[in-house]
Amino acid sequence: MSAKIISGTEIAKQIREELQREAADLKSKHNLVPGLVTILVGEDPASVSYVTAKQKTSKDLGFYSIQDTQPPDITEDKLITLIEQYNRDPKIHGILVQLPLPKHINETRVLYAMDPKKDVDAFHPFNVGKLMIGEADFYPCTPHGIQQLLVRSGVKIEGAEVVVVGRSNIVGKPIAMMLVQKQSGANATVTICHTKTRDMAAHTRTADILIVAAGKPKAVTADMVKEGAVVIDVGVNRIGMTAEGKAKLCGDVDFEGVKEKASAITPVPGGVGPMTITMLMMNTIKAAKVSAGLK
Ligand code: NAP
């Protein structure tokens, strides 16, 4: 058996078309244009490429968008003052600070400075807490993208055994928390594994849905996967260069081996990656609607 490929590229395209229509409706019916600012400190090449892609997508969807690039030596206080300005700017509904920040800046203090209503990455502790109690206004983008991939591919989540490999605050913990909620698109039984898990394979082999966010190539191999499982590979590992001089990417799952055992699997690239930016756009539209008192 060879697994069905869950194409994040295709599903993200479908969602972007829906968002484009929604943005056009907001403009024509309510004179409301979703506004997103992406704040980049310094010139880290990976961060530059991420914010460029976010800006391009937001413009394609008809948003008002600002790219605010700051020098790498900006002080923490100046960065916080800048965020406070955007907190007060009525044309801006979403603020995204591209992480990681330079070492002299305390990321937690920066995240706390953001108005939680404009926190479209959903990293502010207020939004993390709301997610925990099942009352989220925004879902963090990568976990939300994973959930949408599952739901839109018709994967049954309710009652499923879900195993998440990785416990980071941006992927592992929030996706586990989302899928365990007493809500539609959730209601799973969830286990989280990490580097101190005693026998990881014993857990992963029980998974109907296996979500891998370890940041390690081949952290999951075919012998660790149950026959017929759905496998979501979140990992993005750079493993050299292609002939065209682009970074060669692989996930955390041994794709070739696992696809012979799984019933469905996401590729890298073209799986979770395209969904993350799309969910950021969804959050920006939501923030704009909330600010205008629309449901
Ligand atoms: P992270 O902060 O480095 O966390 C990795 C987690 O995996 C940690 O909890 C670590 O355990 C665990 N882990 C690492 N190796 C393991 C192993 N061999 N067995 C079991 N657990 C292991 O990474 P992250 O930010 O969550 O990202 C994970 C991966 O997803 C990265 O490749 C990243 O580039 C990718 N990513 C992709 C997207 C996207 O949009 N496609 C978005 C975000 C992240 P400990 O806690 O014990 O150290």
Short mmCIF file of all heavy atoms in Angstrom, two decimals, residues 225-291:
data_model
loop_
_atom_site.label_atom_id
_atom_site.label_comp_id
_atom_site.label_asym_id
_atom_site.label_seq_id
_atom_site.Cartn_x
_atom_site.Cartn_y
_atom_site.Cartn_z
N VAL A 225 5.70 3.13 13.00
CA VAL A 225 4.38 3.60 12.56
C VAL A 225 3.42 2.43 12.43
O VAL A 225 3.80 1.37 11.91
CB VAL A 225 4.51 4.33 11.19
CG1 VAL A 225 3.16 4.76 10.66
CG2 VAL A 225 5.44 5.54 11.33
N LYS A 226 2.18 2.63 12.90
CA LYS A 226 1.15 1.58 12.77
C LYS A 226 0.65 1.53 11.33
O LYS A 226 0.53 2.57 10.67
CB LYS A 226 0.00 1.94 13.72
CG LYS A 226 -1.13 0.95 13.74
CD LYS A 226 -2.06 1.18 14.92
CE LYS A 226 -3.17 2.13 14.57
NZ LYS A 226 -4.17 2.23 15.67
N GLU A 227 0.36 0.34 10.84
CA GLU A 227 -0.22 0.16 9.50
C GLU A 227 -1.49 1.00 9.39
O GLU A 227 -2.35 0.94 10.27
CB GLU A 227 -0.56 -1.34 9.34
CG GLU A 227 -0.81 -1.82 7.95
CD GLU A 227 0.47 -2.03 7.15
OE1 GLU A 227 1.44 -2.61 7.69
OE2 GLU A 227 0.47 -1.61 6.00
N GLY A 228 -1.58 1.85 8.36
CA GLY A 228 -2.81 2.62 8.13
C GLY A 228 -2.87 3.96 8.87
O GLY A 228 -3.87 4.67 8.79
N ALA A 229 -1.82 4.31 9.59
CA ALA A 229 -1.84 5.58 10.33
C ALA A 229 -1.82 6.78 9.38
O ALA A 229 -1.37 6.67 8.23
CB ALA A 229 -0.63 5.65 11.26
N VAL A 230 -2.31 7.91 9.89
CA VAL A 230 -2.19 9.18 9.15
C VAL A 230 -0.98 9.91 9.76
O VAL A 230 -0.91 10.09 10.98
CB VAL A 230 -3.47 10.03 9.32
CG1 VAL A 230 -3.29 11.42 8.69
CG2 VAL A 230 -4.66 9.31 8.70
N VAL A 231 -0.04 10.32 8.91
CA VAL A 231 1.22 10.89 9.42
C VAL A 231 1.38 12.32 8.93
O VAL A 231 1.35 12.59 7.72
CB VAL A 231 2.43 10.03 8.97
CG1 VAL A 231 3.73 10.63 9.49
CG2 VAL A 231 2.27 8.59 9.48
N ILE A 232 1.51 13.23 9.89
CA ILE A 232 1.70 14.65 9.56
C ILE A 232 3.13 15.02 9.95
O ILE A 232 3.51 14.95 11.12
CB ILE A 232 0.71 15.54 10.35
CG1 ILE A 232 -0.74 15.12 10.13
CG2 ILE A 232 0.94 17.02 10.02
CD1 ILE A 232 -1.31 15.38 8.76
N ASP A 233 3.91 15.40 8.94
CA ASP A 233 5.33 15.71 9.15
C ASP A 233 5.52 17.23 9.17
O ASP A 233 5.40 17.89 8.14
CB ASP A 233 6.14 15.08 8.00
CG ASP A 233 7.63 15.16 8.22
OD1 ASP A 233 8.07 15.83 9.18
OD2 ASP A 233 8.37 14.54 7.43
N VAL A 234 5.79 17.76 10.36
CA VAL A 234 5.91 19.23 10.50
C VAL A 234 7.35 19.69 10.24
O VAL A 234 7.60 20.84 9.90
CB VAL A 234 5.47 19.66 11.93
CG1 VAL A 234 5.39 21.18 12.04
CG2 VAL A 234 4.13 19.04 12.29
N GLY A 235 8.28 18.78 10.37
CA GLY A 235 9.70 19.15 10.32
C GLY A 235 10.13 19.83 9.03
O GLY A 235 9.64 19.51 7.95
N VAL A 236 11.03 20.78 9.19
CA VAL A 236 11.69 21.40 8.03
C VAL A 236 13.18 21.39 8.33
O VAL A 236 13.65 22.14 9.18
CB VAL A 236 11.22 22.85 7.79
CG1 VAL A 236 11.95 23.45 6.59
CG2 VAL A 236 9.71 22.92 7.56
N ASN A 237 13.90 20.49 7.67
CA ASN A 237 15.35 20.39 7.89
C ASN A 237 16.06 20.70 6.59
O ASN A 237 15.68 20.19 5.54
CB ASN A 237 15.70 18.97 8.37
CG ASN A 237 14.93 18.58 9.62
OD1 ASN A 237 15.16 19.14 10.68
ND2 ASN A 237 13.99 17.65 9.50
N ARG A 238 17.07 21.54 6.68
CA ARG A 238 17.85 21.90 5.48
C ARG A 238 19.02 20.93 5.39
O ARG A 238 19.86 20.88 6.29
CB ARG A 238 18.33 23.35 5.57
CG ARG A 238 17.18 24.31 5.37
CD ARG A 238 17.51 25.77 5.59
NE ARG A 238 16.40 26.60 5.10
CZ ARG A 238 15.24 26.76 5.74
NH1 ARG A 238 15.05 26.18 6.92
NH2 ARG A 238 14.27 27.49 5.23
N ILE A 239 19.05 20.17 4.28
CA ILE A 239 20.06 19.12 4.17
C ILE A 239 20.88 19.29 2.89
O ILE A 239 20.98 18.38 2.08
CB ILE A 239 19.42 17.71 4.23
CG1 ILE A 239 18.23 17.63 3.25
CG2 ILE A 239 18.99 17.34 5.62
CD1 ILE A 239 17.88 16.23 2.82
N GLY A 240 21.45 20.47 2.73
CA GLY A 240 22.28 20.72 1.56
C GLY A 240 21.58 21.56 0.52
O GLY A 240 20.59 22.24 0.83
N MET A 241 22.09 21.50 -0.70
CA MET A 241 21.62 22.37 -1.78
C MET A 241 21.13 21.53 -2.96
O MET A 241 21.70 20.48 -3.26
CB MET A 241 22.78 23.24 -2.30
CG MET A 241 23.19 24.34 -1.35
SD MET A 241 21.97 25.66 -1.36
CE MET A 241 22.70 26.79 -0.22
N THR A 242 20.12 22.06 -3.67
CA THR A 242 19.69 21.42 -4.91
C THR A 242 20.63 21.89 -6.03
O THR A 242 21.42 22.82 -5.83
CB THR A 242 18.26 21.83 -5.29
OG1 THR A 242 18.25 23.23 -5.52
CG2 THR A 242 17.26 21.49 -4.21
N ALA A 243 20.50 21.26 -7.22
CA ALA A 243 21.33 21.65 -8.37
C ALA A 243 21.10 23.12 -8.72
O ALA A 243 21.98 23.80 -9.24
CB ALA A 243 20.99 20.75 -9.56
N GLU A 244 19.88 23.66 -8.40
CA GLU A 244 19.55 25.07 -8.73
C GLU A 244 20.06 26.02 -7.64
O GLU A 244 19.78 27.21 -7.68
CB GLU A 244 18.03 25.27 -8.88
CG GLU A 244 17.37 24.48 -9.99
CD GLU A 244 17.07 23.04 -9.59
OE1 GLU A 244 16.63 22.80 -8.45
OE2 GLU A 244 17.32 22.15 -10.42
N GLY A 245 20.76 25.48 -6.64
CA GLY A 245 21.31 26.34 -5.59
C GLY A 245 20.31 26.69 -4.50
O GLY A 245 20.54 27.59 -3.70
N LYS A 246 19.16 25.99 -4.46
CA LYS A 246 18.18 26.23 -3.40
C LYS A 246 18.43 25.24 -2.26
O LYS A 246 18.98 24.15 -2.50
CB LYS A 246 16.76 26.00 -3.92
CG LYS A 246 16.26 27.14 -4.80
CD LYS A 246 14.79 26.91 -5.10
CE LYS A 246 14.21 28.06 -5.90
NZ LYS A 246 12.90 27.72 -6.44
N ALA A 247 18.00 25.62 -1.03
CA ALA A 247 18.17 24.70 0.09
C ALA A 247 17.34 23.44 -0.15
O ALA A 247 16.18 23.52 -0.57
CB ALA A 247 17.74 25.38 1.38
N LYS A 248 17.96 22.28 0.08
CA LYS A 248 17.23 21.01 -0.06
C LYS A 248 16.58 20.71 1.29
O LYS A 248 17.26 20.75 2.33
CB LYS A 248 18.22 19.91 -0.46
CG LYS A 248 17.55 18.70 -1.00
CD LYS A 248 18.54 17.78 -1.71
CE LYS A 248 17.80 16.54 -2.15
NZ LYS A 248 18.62 15.37 -2.11
N LEU A 249 15.29 20.43 1.25
CA LEU A 249 14.55 20.26 2.50
C LEU A 249 14.13 18.81 2.71
O LEU A 249 13.86 18.10 1.75
CB LEU A 249 13.28 21.12 2.48
CG LEU A 249 13.44 22.61 2.26
CD1 LEU A 249 12.08 23.29 2.28
CD2 LEU A 249 14.34 23.23 3.32
N CYS A 250 14.07 18.41 3.98
CA CYS A 250 13.40 17.15 4.30
C CYS A 250 12.67 17.33 5.63
O CYS A 250 12.95 18.27 6.38
CB CYS A 250 14.38 15.99 4.35
SG CYS A 250 15.33 15.89 5.85
N GLY A 251 11.74 16.45 5.89
CA GLY A 251 10.97 16.52 7.13
C GLY A 251 11.62 15.73 8.24
O GLY A 251 12.82 15.43 8.19
N ASP A 252 10.81 15.37 9.23
CA ASP A 252 11.30 14.59 10.37
C ASP A 252 10.97 13.11 10.21
O ASP A 252 11.34 12.29 11.05
CB ASP A 252 10.62 15.08 11.66
CG ASP A 252 11.07 16.48 12.06
OD1 ASP A 252 12.10 16.94 11.54
OD2 ASP A 252 10.39 17.09 12.90
N VAL A 253 10.22 12.80 9.14
CA VAL A 253 9.75 11.43 8.94
C VAL A 253 10.50 10.85 7.74
O VAL A 253 10.71 11.54 6.74
CB VAL A 253 8.22 11.46 8.66
CG1 VAL A 253 7.71 10.09 8.26
CG2 VAL A 253 7.47 11.98 9.88
N ASP A 254 10.87 9.58 7.85
CA ASP A 254 11.49 8.90 6.71
C ASP A 254 10.38 8.63 5.68
O ASP A 254 9.71 7.59 5.72
CB ASP A 254 12.14 7.59 7.19
CG ASP A 254 12.72 6.81 6.03
OD1 ASP A 254 12.87 7.38 4.93
OD2 ASP A 254 12.99 5.61 6.22
N PHE A 255 10.16 9.60 4.82
CA PHE A 255 8.99 9.61 3.92
C PHE A 255 8.89 8.34 3.08
O PHE A 255 7.84 7.70 3.02
CB PHE A 255 9.06 10.86 3.02
CG PHE A 255 7.90 11.01 2.10
CD1 PHE A 255 6.71 11.59 2.54
CD2 PHE A 255 7.96 10.58 0.78
CE1 PHE A 255 5.63 11.73 1.70
CE2 PHE A 255 6.87 10.72 -0.07
CZ PHE A 255 5.71 11.29 0.39
N GLU A 256 10.00 7.94 2.45
CA GLU A 256 9.97 6.80 1.52
C GLU A 256 9.52 5.52 2.23
O GLU A 256 8.71 4.76 1.70
CB GLU A 256 11.34 6.59 0.85
CG GLU A 256 11.70 7.69 -0.14
CD GLU A 256 10.63 7.93 -1.21
OE1 GLU A 256 10.02 6.94 -1.66
OE2 GLU A 256 10.38 9.10 -1.55
N GLY A 257 10.06 5.29 3.42
CA GLY A 257 9.70 4.08 4.16
C GLY A 257 8.28 4.18 4.73
O GLY A 257 7.47 3.24 4.59
N VAL A 258 7.95 5.31 5.32
CA VAL A 258 6.67 5.45 6.04
C VAL A 258 5.49 5.47 5.08
O VAL A 258 4.40 4.98 5.40
CB VAL A 258 6.71 6.70 6.97
CG1 VAL A 258 5.34 6.99 7.56
CG2 VAL A 258 7.74 6.50 8.08
N LYS A 259 5.68 5.99 3.87
CA LYS A 259 4.53 6.09 2.95
C LYS A 259 4.02 4.70 2.53
O LYS A 259 2.89 4.55 2.11
CB LYS A 259 4.85 6.98 1.75
CG LYS A 259 5.63 6.36 0.62
CD LYS A 259 5.75 7.41 -0.48
CE LYS A 259 6.26 6.98 -1.81
NZ LYS A 259 7.22 5.93 -1.95
N GLU A 260 4.87 3.68 2.68
CA GLU A 260 4.43 2.30 2.35
C GLU A 260 3.56 1.70 3.46
O GLU A 260 2.93 0.68 3.28
CB GLU A 260 5.64 1.40 2.11
CG GLU A 260 6.52 1.85 0.94
CD GLU A 260 5.72 2.05 -0.36
OE1 GLU A 260 4.83 1.22 -0.63
OE2 GLU A 260 5.98 3.05 -1.07
N LYS A 261 3.54 2.36 4.63
CA LYS A 261 2.81 1.80 5.77
C LYS A 261 1.61 2.66 6.16
O LYS A 261 0.58 2.15 6.64
CB LYS A 261 3.78 1.73 6.95
CG LYS A 261 3.56 0.52 7.79
CD LYS A 261 4.77 0.19 8.60
CE LYS A 261 4.41 -0.85 9.62
NZ LYS A 261 5.41 -0.88 10.69
N ALA A 262 1.75 3.97 5.98
CA ALA A 262 0.69 4.89 6.38
C ALA A 262 -0.46 4.85 5.38
O ALA A 262 -0.29 4.42 4.23
CB ALA A 262 1.26 6.31 6.44
N SER A 263 -1.66 5.32 5.82
CA SER A 263 -2.77 5.45 4.87
C SER A 263 -2.73 6.83 4.22
O SER A 263 -3.22 7.00 3.09
CB SER A 263 -4.11 5.22 5.56
OG SER A 263 -4.29 6.20 6.56
N ALA A 264 -2.15 7.81 4.92
CA ALA A 264 -2.03 9.16 4.36
C ALA A 264 -0.83 9.83 5.01
O ALA A 264 -0.52 9.57 6.18
CB ALA A 264 -3.30 9.96 4.63
N ILE A 265 -0.18 10.71 4.26
CA ILE A 265 1.04 11.34 4.77
C ILE A 265 1.22 12.71 4.11
O ILE A 265 0.83 12.91 2.95
CB ILE A 265 2.28 10.43 4.52
CG1 ILE A 265 3.54 10.97 5.19
CG2 ILE A 265 2.52 10.20 3.03
CD1 ILE A 265 4.70 9.96 5.23
N THR A 266 1.80 13.66 4.85
CA THR A 266 2.12 14.96 4.25
C THR A 266 3.55 14.96 3.75
O THR A 266 4.44 14.43 4.43
CB THR A 266 1.96 16.11 5.27
OG1 THR A 266 2.82 15.85 6.39
CG2 THR A 266 0.52 16.28 5.72
N PRO A 267 3.80 15.55 2.58
CA PRO A 267 5.19 15.64 2.09
C PRO A 267 5.90 16.86 2.68
O PRO A 267 5.26 17.77 3.22
CB PRO A 267 4.98 15.83 0.58
CG PRO A 267 3.67 16.56 0.47
CD PRO A 267 2.82 16.13 1.65
N VAL A 268 7.21 16.89 2.55
CA VAL A 268 8.01 18.08 2.87
C VAL A 268 8.96 18.29 1.70
O VAL A 268 9.76 17.39 1.40
CB VAL A 268 8.81 17.90 4.17
CG1 VAL A 268 9.67 19.16 4.44
CG2 VAL A 268 7.91 17.62 5.35
N PRO A 269 8.90 19.42 1.01
CA PRO A 269 7.96 20.54 1.21
C PRO A 269 6.58 20.22 0.62
O PRO A 269 6.39 19.17 0.01
CB PRO A 269 8.63 21.68 0.44
CG PRO A 269 9.45 21.00 -0.62
CD PRO A 269 9.89 19.69 -0.06
N GLY A 270 5.64 21.14 0.85
CA GLY A 270 4.31 21.00 0.25
C GLY A 270 3.27 20.39 1.17
O GLY A 270 2.19 20.02 0.72
N GLY A 271 3.61 20.26 2.47
CA GLY A 271 2.65 19.71 3.42
C GLY A 271 2.17 20.80 4.38
O GLY A 271 1.35 21.64 4.02
N VAL A 272 2.74 20.77 5.59
CA VAL A 272 2.31 21.74 6.62
C VAL A 272 2.75 23.17 6.26
O VAL A 272 2.02 24.13 6.53
CB VAL A 272 2.89 21.32 8.00
CG1 VAL A 272 2.57 22.36 9.06
CG2 VAL A 272 2.34 19.96 8.40
N GLY A 273 3.92 23.31 5.65
CA GLY A 273 4.49 24.64 5.38
C GLY A 273 3.52 25.64 4.76
O GLY A 273 3.29 26.72 5.32
N PRO A 274 2.90 25.31 3.61
CA PRO A 274 2.01 26.30 2.98
C PRO A 274 0.79 26.66 3.84
O PRO A 274 0.18 27.70 3.64
CB PRO A 274 1.54 25.59 1.70
CG PRO A 274 2.46 24.44 1.51
CD PRO A 274 3.05 24.08 2.82
N MET A 275 0.45 25.78 4.79
CA MET A 275 -0.73 26.04 5.62
C MET A 275 -0.45 27.12 6.66
O MET A 275 -1.35 27.86 7.06
CB MET A 275 -1.15 24.75 6.35
CG MET A 275 -1.60 23.65 5.45
SD MET A 275 -3.09 24.08 4.53
CE MET A 275 -4.33 24.00 5.82
N THR A 276 0.80 27.22 7.12
CA THR A 276 1.11 28.12 8.23
C THR A 276 0.80 29.57 7.86
O THR A 276 0.11 30.28 8.59
CB THR A 276 2.59 27.92 8.65
OG1 THR A 276 2.74 26.57 9.10
CG2 THR A 276 2.99 28.87 9.76
N ILE A 277 1.28 30.01 6.70
CA ILE A 277 1.04 31.40 6.28
C ILE A 277 -0.45 31.63 6.03
O ILE A 277 -1.01 32.67 6.37
CB ILE A 277 1.86 31.74 5.01
CG1 ILE A 277 3.36 31.71 5.34
CG2 ILE A 277 1.46 33.08 4.44
CD1 ILE A 277 4.26 32.09 4.18
N THR A 278 -1.10 30.61 5.48
CA THR A 278 -2.53 30.75 5.20
C THR A 278 -3.32 30.99 6.48
O THR A 278 -4.25 31.80 6.52
CB THR A 278 -3.01 29.47 4.47
OG1 THR A 278 -2.18 29.29 3.33
CG2 THR A 278 -4.45 29.57 4.03
N MET A 279 -2.94 30.29 7.54
CA MET A 279 -3.65 30.46 8.82
C MET A 279 -3.38 31.84 9.43
O MET A 279 -4.22 32.40 10.11
CB MET A 279 -3.23 29.36 9.80
CG MET A 279 -3.64 27.98 9.38
SD MET A 279 -5.44 27.85 9.12
CE MET A 279 -5.47 27.52 7.41
N LEU A 280 -2.19 32.39 9.13
CA LEU A 280 -1.90 33.76 9.59
C LEU A 280 -2.87 34.74 8.93
O LEU A 280 -3.38 35.67 9.56
CB LEU A 280 -0.45 34.11 9.22
CG LEU A 280 -0.02 35.53 9.54
CD1 LEU A 280 0.13 35.72 11.05
CD2 LEU A 280 1.31 35.86 8.85
N MET A 281 -3.16 34.50 7.65
CA MET A 281 -4.09 35.37 6.93
C MET A 281 -5.51 35.21 7.49
O MET A 281 -6.25 36.18 7.63
CB MET A 281 -4.08 35.03 5.43
CG MET A 281 -2.72 35.16 4.77
SD MET A 281 -2.01 36.81 4.98
CE MET A 281 -0.31 36.42 5.34
N MET A 282 -5.86 33.96 7.83
CA MET A 282 -7.18 33.71 8.42
C MET A 282 -7.31 34.48 9.74
O MET A 282 -8.33 35.11 10.03
CB MET A 282 -7.36 32.20 8.64
CG MET A 282 -8.76 31.80 9.02
SD MET A 282 -8.88 30.04 9.35
CE MET A 282 -9.27 29.39 7.75
N ASN A 283 -6.25 34.45 10.55
CA ASN A 283 -6.29 35.17 11.84
C ASN A 283 -6.40 36.68 11.64
O ASN A 283 -7.06 37.37 12.41
CB ASN A 283 -5.03 34.84 12.65
CG ASN A 283 -5.13 33.49 13.34
OD1 ASN A 283 -6.20 32.89 13.41
ND2 ASN A 283 -4.01 33.00 13.87
N THR A 284 -5.75 37.19 10.59
CA THR A 284 -5.80 38.64 10.35
C THR A 284 -7.22 39.07 9.97
O THR A 284 -7.72 40.09 10.45
CB THR A 284 -4.79 39.04 9.25
OG1 THR A 284 -3.50 38.55 9.63
CG2 THR A 284 -4.72 40.54 9.06
N ILE A 285 -7.86 38.26 9.15
CA ILE A 285 -9.26 38.56 8.78
C ILE A 285 -10.14 38.51 10.03
O ILE A 285 -10.99 39.37 10.26
CB ILE A 285 -9.77 37.58 7.70
CG1 ILE A 285 -9.08 37.88 6.37
CG2 ILE A 285 -11.29 37.64 7.57
CD1 ILE A 285 -9.63 37.14 5.16
N LYS A 286 -9.89 37.50 10.85
CA LYS A 286 -10.70 37.36 12.08
C LYS A 286 -10.50 38.58 12.99
O LYS A 286 -11.47 39.14 13.52
CB LYS A 286 -10.28 36.07 12.80
CG LYS A 286 -11.20 35.74 13.91
CD LYS A 286 -11.12 34.29 14.29
CE LYS A 286 -12.23 33.98 15.28
NZ LYS A 286 -12.01 32.76 16.02
N ALA A 287 -9.24 39.01 13.14
CA ALA A 287 -8.95 40.17 14.00
C ALA A 287 -9.65 41.42 13.45
O ALA A 287 -10.19 42.23 14.22
CB ALA A 287 -7.44 40.39 14.06
N ALA A 288 -9.65 41.56 12.12
CA ALA A 288 -10.30 42.73 11.51
C ALA A 288 -11.81 42.69 11.80
O ALA A 288 -12.41 43.70 12.17
CB ALA A 288 -10.04 42.74 10.01
N LYS A 289 -12.41 41.52 11.66
CA LYS A 289 -13.85 41.40 11.88
C LYS A 289 -14.20 41.69 13.35
O LYS A 289 -15.17 42.39 13.63
CB LYS A 289 -14.32 39.98 11.50
CG LYS A 289 -14.41 39.80 9.99
CD LYS A 289 -14.47 38.37 9.56
CE LYS A 289 -15.77 37.69 9.84
NZ LYS A 289 -15.76 36.30 9.34
N VAL A 290 -13.40 41.15 14.26
CA VAL A 290 -13.66 41.38 15.69
C VAL A 290 -13.56 42.88 15.99
O VAL A 290 -14.39 43.45 16.69
CB VAL A 290 -12.69 40.55 16.56
CG1 VAL A 290 -12.76 40.96 18.03
CG2 VAL A 290 -12.99 39.06 16.42
N SER A 291 -12.54 43.54 15.41
CA SER A 291 -12.36 44.97 15.69
C SER A 291 -13.54 45.79 15.19
O SER A 291 -13.86 46.84 15.73
CB SER A 291 -11.06 45.48 15.04
OG SER A 291 -11.29 45.73 13.67
#
